Amino acid sequence: MVSGASGTARGLRPSAARAIRRCGRPDLGAALPEGAAILPAQALGELFNVLTRKLLRSREVARTAVLEWADSFEVADSSWPAYQAALDLCTDHGLQVRDALILSVAAENQCRILLSEDLQHGFTWRGVTVVNPFAEPRDALLVRALQTR
């Protein structure tokens, strides 16, 4: 997630930049201002599942990766109000509960952009717009967020 705040111009912590480089978007790691991104705790659980179930990494390797991401960004916990809003998203928009919770936590933390290749690119809810970080051309919202550096 990219927060609504512009953050500072110092850049990401080195571990965050490494984590983003490994996921295939090194340009984001170099461009996001420090403090401009937060990570929903739910997304860390999804990362663990992808690493162990789809990529067949060991649980130890997956745990290390999850902890590195958690050390690299502010982690946003899921609250009961966020979960209630996620249930509304599931009911009203047909989202899966895990995706709805991530979007709801983004809104609860006043994010403007949610980076996701799983949710519908351009979907906006409570001021949060889903942006696929791999889409070309790059989304105008993401371009503006990166220019605030």
Side-chain angles (χ1 to χ4, degrees):
M1 291 188 289
V2 178
S3 71
S6 62
T8 65
R10 292 186 302 246
L12 291 174
R13 291 177 271 194
S15 56
R18 283 193 306 275
I20 290 175
R21 273 196 302 276
R22 283 196 304 269
C23 77
R25 286 312 305 242
D27 51 333
L28 289 180
L32 282 172
E34 182 178 332
I38 62 173
L39 186 61
Q42 176 71 22
L44 293 173
E46 295 298 316
L47 174 60
F48 187 87
N49 284 336
V50 167
L51 290 172
T52 57
R53 293 180 182 170
K54 290 185 180 179
L55 299 178
L56 303 177
R57 302 292 193 266
S58 72
R59 291 178 181 270
E60 292 77 16
V61 167
R63 177 183 56 202
T64 299
V66 166
L67 292 175
E68 186 172 293
W69 277 89
D71 288 343
S72 300
F73 297 96
E74 176 186 343
V75 176
D77 291 327
S78 302
S79 67
W80 175 237
Y83 199 88
Q84 289 173 306
L87 294 174
D88 290 341
L89 276 166
C90 293
T91 303
D92 299 341
H93 298 284
L95 295 172
Q96 297 293 319
V97 70
R98 62 184 180 269
D99 295 330
L101 186 56
I102 290 170
L103 178 56
S104 181
V105 169
E108 191 174 71
N109 283 273
Q110 301 171 352
C111 292
R112 179 63 184 100
I113 299 170
L114 172 61
L115 298 177
S116 173
E117 61 181 327
D118 294 330
L119 292 169
Q120 180 184 344
H121 179 78
F123 178 74
T124 300
W125 182 77
R126 292 192 181 173
V128 180
T129 299
V130 175
V131 172
N132 183 340
F134 300 102
E136 293 295 338
R138 186 173 274 172
D139 186 273
L141 277 175
L142 183 55
V143 169
R144 281 195 301 275
L146 296 174
Q147 289 173 345
T148 63
R149 181 174 176 188

